[in-house]
Amino acid sequence: MANVIVNRVQEFLKRFPPFSFLNQADLELVASQVEIQFLAESEILFRKNEVARPHFYILKEGQIGLYDHDELKDFCDEGDVFGVLALLGKRPYIYEAKIEKDSLVYSIPVAVFEEILDKNSKVALYFAAGFASGQVVIRQDLSTGQKARGVLKKENLDHSLLIFSDPSQIQFSEKVIQILPSATVQEAAQKMASASVSSIVVCQPDQIPLGIITDKDLRNKVVAQALPLDSSVEGVMTTPVITKKKGAGFSDLYLSMIKNRLHHLILTEDGSPNSPICGILSDHDVLLSMGNSPAVLIHALLNTEEISEMKSIRDRAETMLSYYLENEVAMDFVASVLTEINDVIIQQAVKIAQNALADQFPELKSLRFAFLCLGSEGREEQLLRTDLDNALLYEDPPQGLEAKAKDYFLQLGNKVIEALVACGFLPCPGEIMTSNPKWNQPLSRWKKHFTDWIYTPTPDAVLSASIFFDFRPVAGHTSLAEDLSLHIYDTIQKKKDFLSFLGQNAILTPPPLGFFKDLVVEKTQEHRDQFDIKTRAMLPLIDLARLLTLSYGVVGINNTFKRFEKLGELEPRNAELFTQAGKAYEILMRMRALEGLKHQNNGRYIRPENMGKLQRQLLKSTFAPIAELQELVRVRFQLDLLRA
């Protein structure tokens, strides 16, 4: 009979972390030492400030509330671990454990578990991340939580992923073929041929890099232009060179190559171009290290104007995204790579539209414009092909060309949207797109829009401002967008009480936990009992980050992570809160993207019952920074007075 009970205990324990991380022998040992307690409704298992007992607990059946005096702090349900202060820190209990319904509790002796805690890093990280109820770490450090989740994954990371955390895995050439600036083009070509390399670095005698010559330079600058072979390499080389430190992290090195469209990146001793060269990294090296490279996708996009091929490449990017997310690659890297790919698709779509309209509108060829991305793409956070949010801004046309310019840019906007939808992006349900005449306007009209929104902050105006404050120029002339940005910030400085209306909007959605610490789910039929991760968790953080950076007049930072990072610099006393908020947003982005990839949708609505226990705990842990930031905003912008 005893063996039957132990087996049942064991079967139950292995369903839940941290017991699910134990090997069979350790699990059997723990199960054999478990004491089973029946507790009736209204009983107290332990009280606040009581000396911790030599056991911690896991709830088998029933429901237990954790209270700080009379305030409910957490609810424990089936599989929840609690009362772990005996295991961690051996301090008095910080909560009172009250039985809300008749309950069956497994008591686990600390003595049998301490040795496991020492030797099992997964178990240690589970507790360190703050996943157990009522433990020493009241407020979970979200960065530790992310680390724990990564370590606790069942899958083993393969060799190709190691490069994201270990730059030593990147194979690059330390023997760099060099030539003096006084040499000729022919000498450079002979050296390249002799060494069977596709590039040569032009260096001073002290090995300070001045420029680089590639096969493409020889083809385009020498052969195509019939330059004499005795021409100096200084006249052919690409200069100045972009350099990085040899020991820089892979994300830093690789993103430099992607953003600057480099096939070769020069590595120097201190990372500056005034330091001796010590290596060179090629996109071929990256391919050999990774097996798959965003640079390849971007290169392919830049060399096609076929919409069907662009869609195929973006489909491949989705596969790459899935791999990155499943293997816990840093979100800032993932978001940067996907943003770069999305931006190139948009730029190619704009180029295709311009070429199609060039003969019809020759007089408007020189009229400047900027294609603005809004929403998640404007913030450099669009991982999935979710709704398109964009606008078109063009300089005020010469007198007499206003109607023609309006027609041209509306046709341009329509063609771009058609191309993006054909690439798999979804049209905006609210029609906030360049195909809508309302959001395809000259600079003077855009300035008037923002002035009206700021000076007359009706609910619709505040909503519009929230959407359009995240604009980012992706194609065309960035100077137009900069002009509009400066106008916006100047106007806000003259009408600072507008920020209070934005503040009201930022606190409308409270942290999404009900009275019993359950996720607040939708009540409407279409998404009934589903959790809206966008509206209830992500948007509050987006709105709060935007509001606070606007209040400082920070120009040019739209990304939510970077906004929180900048706020940490501006307010050192609140730096920890902003760091936690950034980490929370990162977790939410990853969860939504994984949900979207799994169900081939936008990932917005999640069924809580389909989430693992660890996922639910991690999701709930992201709500704490929302509550703290909303309280900070409520006080700072005197929002209670505004409502009164």
Side-chain angles (χ1 to χ4, degrees):
M1 183 66 181
N3 285 340
V4 173
I5 295 173
V6 169
N7 288 338
R8 286 179 179 173
V9 170
Q10 184 177 315
E11 287 301 310
F12 176 79
L13 291 179
K14 72 179 184 181
R15 291 167 48 200
F16 303 99
F19 309 99
S20 55
F21 312 137
L22 303 184
N23 59 39
Q24 187 62 29
D26 286 341
L27 187 60
E28 288 177 5
L29 175 63
V30 171
S32 69
Q33 300 296 313
V34 162
E35 297 175 16
I36 303 172
Q37 290 181 257
F38 174 79
L39 300 162
E41 184 177 336
S42 299
E43 274 192 68
I44 304 298
L45 178 58
F46 54 77
R47 298 185 183 278
K48 180 181 173 70
N49 295 324
E50 182 182 329
V51 175
R53 299 172 189 176
H55 298 81
F56 66 101
Y57 307 96
I58 180 169
L59 183 60
K60 171 66 169 66
E61 294 174 12
Q63 195 172 71
I64 294 178
L66 298 177
Y67 289 83
D68 184 2
H69 299 294
D70 293 327
E71 183 183 355
L72 179 66
K73 288 295 185 180
D74 204 353
F75 254 111
C76 300
D77 54 21
E78 183 189 20
D80 272 340
V81 178
F82 65 103
V84 298
L85 289 171
L87 185 66
L88 301 168
K90 297 179 175 59
R91 292 165 48 197
Y93 292 116
I94 56 172
Y95 295 146
E96 177 178 272
K98 181 181 178 182
I99 314 306
E100 304 291 338
K101 296 179 181 177
D102 290 354
S103 298
L104 201 60
V105 172
Y106 289 165
S107 300
I108 298 147
V110 168
V112 76
F113 216 77
E114 281 183 328
E115 186 177 340
I116 293 171
L117 195 66
D118 288 336
K119 69 182 182 182
N120 191 317
S121 61
K122 293 180 181 180
V123 173
L125 275 170
Y126 175 85
F127 288 115
F131 290 124
S133 299
Q135 67 167 71
V136 174
V137 186
I138 306 301
R139 166 144 178 204
Q140 176 184 316
D141 181 332
L142 292 171
S143 60
T144 309
Q146 286 179 291
K147 180 183 177 186
R149 187 178 53 157
V151 172
L152 303 181
K153 284 176 63 64
K154 292 181 181 177
E155 301 83 3
N156 292 320
L157 304 187
D158 62 28
H159 174 76
S160 62
L161 180 67
L162 291 176
I163 55 175
F164 291 101
S165 57
D166 184 3
S168 66
Q169 297 294 324
I170 297 295
Q171 302 299 316
F172 60 87
S173 177
E174 294 187 4
K175 185 180 179 183
V176 184
I177 306 302
Q178 303 175 31
I179 197 165
L180 293 170
S182 58
T184 66
V185 168
Q186 184 174 27
E187 289 171 329
Q190 287 172 341
K191 271 196 160 191
M192 290 167 67
S194 177
S196 298
V197 295
S198 60
S199 65
I200 189 168
V201 182
V202 181
C203 291
Q204 295 175 353
D206 56 4
Q207 294 193 309
I208 302 296
L210 298 174
I212 187 170
I213 296 175
T214 65
D215 283 341
K216 187 177 179 181
D217 292 323
L218 294 176
R219 185 171 62 250
N220 294 345
K221 297 179 182 179
V222 179
V223 178
Q225 297 183 27
L227 278 184
L229 293 179
D230 60 357
S231 300
S232 168
V233 293
E234 283 189 293
V236 177
M237 67 183 184
T238 298
T239 188
V241 291
I242 293 174
T243 59
K244 285 287 179 181
K245 192 173 182 179
K246 176 182 174 182
F250 174 73
S251 299
D252 189 19
L253 295 173
Y254 193 27
L255 286 175
S256 291
M257 294 180 73
I258 292 173
K259 289 183 177 296
N260 295 290
R261 310 286 189 263
L262 300 177
H263 294 287
H264 301 84
L265 180 65
I266 294 173
L267 307 175
T268 62
E269 295 289 351
D270 67 6
S272 77
N274 300 316
S275 175
I277 189 169
C278 58
I280 189 165
L281 177 67
S282 69
D283 53 10
H284 180 65
D285 297 327
V286 171
L287 277 170
L288 290 177
S289 299
M290 285 185 69
N292 186 22
S293 167
V296 173
L297 301 180
I298 290 171
H299 179 75
L301 285 170
L302 289 169
N303 287 279
T304 185
E305 293 186 8
E306 292 290 331
I307 301 295
S308 59
E309 189 175 351
M310 289 165 62
K311 181 185 184 302
S312 175
I313 294 166
R314 186 58 180 79
D315 290 342
R316 286 163 59 192
E318 209 108 302
T319 302
M320 178 190 69
L321 169 64
S322 179
Y323 177 83
Y324 285 171
L325 293 173
E326 289 293 338
N327 287 292
E328 302 289 338
V329 176
M331 280 305 294
D332 55 350
F333 176 85
V334 176
S336 295
V337 167
L338 266 294
T339 294
E340 202 66 31
I341 290 171
N342 291 342
D343 283 1
V344 173
I345 291 173
I346 293 166
Q347 289 156 9
Q348 291 299 91
V350 169
K351 188 189 297 183
I352 292 167
Q354 284 181 291
N355 292 340
L357 296 171
D359 293 339
Q360 189 180 343
F361 297 93
E363 64 272 60
L364 297 174
K365 186 177 180 181
S366 60
L367 197 65
R368 296 181 305 146
F369 73 94
F371 185 96
L372 307 177
C373 281
L374 315 171
S376 58
E377 179 65 8
R379 294 188 302 273
E380 302 177 76
E381 297 164 7
Q382 188 173 26
L383 304 183
L384 304 171
R385 281 172 282 188
T386 49
D387 301 351
L388 291 167
D389 290 296
N390 46 59
L392 201 139
L393 155 69
Y394 56 93
E395 66 179 327
D396 289 271
Q399 193 170 0
L401 281 179
E402 294 92 347
K404 193 126 188 173
K406 183 176 182 179
D407 183 24
Y408 169 65
F409 285 114
L410 191 56
Q411 286 195 48
L412 182 78
N414 267 293
K415 288 184 179 297
V416 173
I417 297 303
E418 287 172 7
L420 295 178
V421 170
C423 285
F425 292 91
L426 301 175
C428 174
E431 296 189 7
I432 302 175
M433 297 180 290
T434 58
S435 53
N436 185 341
K438 187 176 181 181
W439 310 124
N440 192 322
Q441 299 279 353
L443 178 60
S444 58
R445 284 295 304 169
W446 275 113
K447 287 184 175 179
K448 186 176 188 309
H449 276 318
F450 278 100
T451 300
D452 290 345
W453 291 335
I454 293 167
Y455 274 86
T456 313
T458 64
D460 284 345
V462 172
L463 179 61
S464 294
S466 296
I467 295 168
F468 283 89
F469 274 140
D470 290 341
F471 71 77
R472 180 174 62 91
V474 171
H477 293 77
T478 58
S479 58
L480 285 171
E482 290 167 0
D483 189 347
L484 181 58
S485 290
L486 290 173
H487 170 78
I488 292 167
Y489 289 109
D490 285 346
T491 308
I492 288 175
Q493 290 303 309
K494 296 171 185 173
K495 184 71 174 175
K496 285 196 172 182
D497 60 349
F498 169 72
L499 295 175
S500 296
F501 290 93
L502 273 187
Q504 281 284 65
N505 197 52
I507 65 168
L508 282 177
T509 306
L513 282 178
F515 178 75
F516 294 109
K517 298 293 181 180
D518 291 327
L519 293 172
V520 174
V521 295
E522 301 306 295
K523 304 301 181 187
T524 57
Q525 194 60 42
E526 185 183 0
H527 299 292
R528 188 176 182 83
D529 296 328
Q530 297 176 41
F531 177 69
D532 184 349
I533 194 171
K534 175 185 174 181
T535 302
R536 295 192 180 278
M538 297 178 75
L539 277 180
L541 287 169
I542 291 167
D543 291 342
L544 290 159
R546 180 195 302 116
L547 167 65
L548 291 167
T549 48
L550 276 172
S551 71
Y552 280 102
V554 174
V555 181
I557 301 179
N558 287 5
N559 180 267
T560 304
F561 308 127
K562 292 176 182 174
R563 278 172 167 165
F564 281 126
E565 191 176 79
K566 184 65 177 177
L567 287 166
E569 295 173 9
L570 294 168
E571 296 185 31
R573 69 186 183 281
N574 290 319
E576 178 60 24
L577 172 58
F578 294 131
T579 297
Q580 293 291 316
K583 293 294 181 186
Y585 189 70
E586 195 172 330
I587 290 167
L588 294 167
M589 264 187 77
R590 188 185 298 275
M591 282 188 174
R592 181 181 179 183
L594 283 168
E595 185 73 12
L597 290 171
K598 181 179 178 181
H599 298 287
Q600 291 300 294
N601 57 25
N602 63 17
R604 177 171 175 175
Y605 294 96
I606 299 174
R607 289 196 173 277
E609 67 269 23
N610 293 340
M611 299 176 74
K613 191 169 191 67
L614 206 56
Q615 278 185 304
R616 290 200 305 274
Q617 289 171 321
L618 193 62
L619 175 59
K620 289 179 182 180
S621 72
T622 66
F623 304 154
I626 298 175
E628 286 194 48
L629 282 171
Q630 287 183 334
E631 184 56 30
L632 182 150
V633 163
R634 190 191 310 277
V635 173
R636 182 170 299 182
F637 296 96
Q638 300 181 311
L639 300 185
D640 291 334
L641 293 178
L642 187 67
R643 285 191 296 181

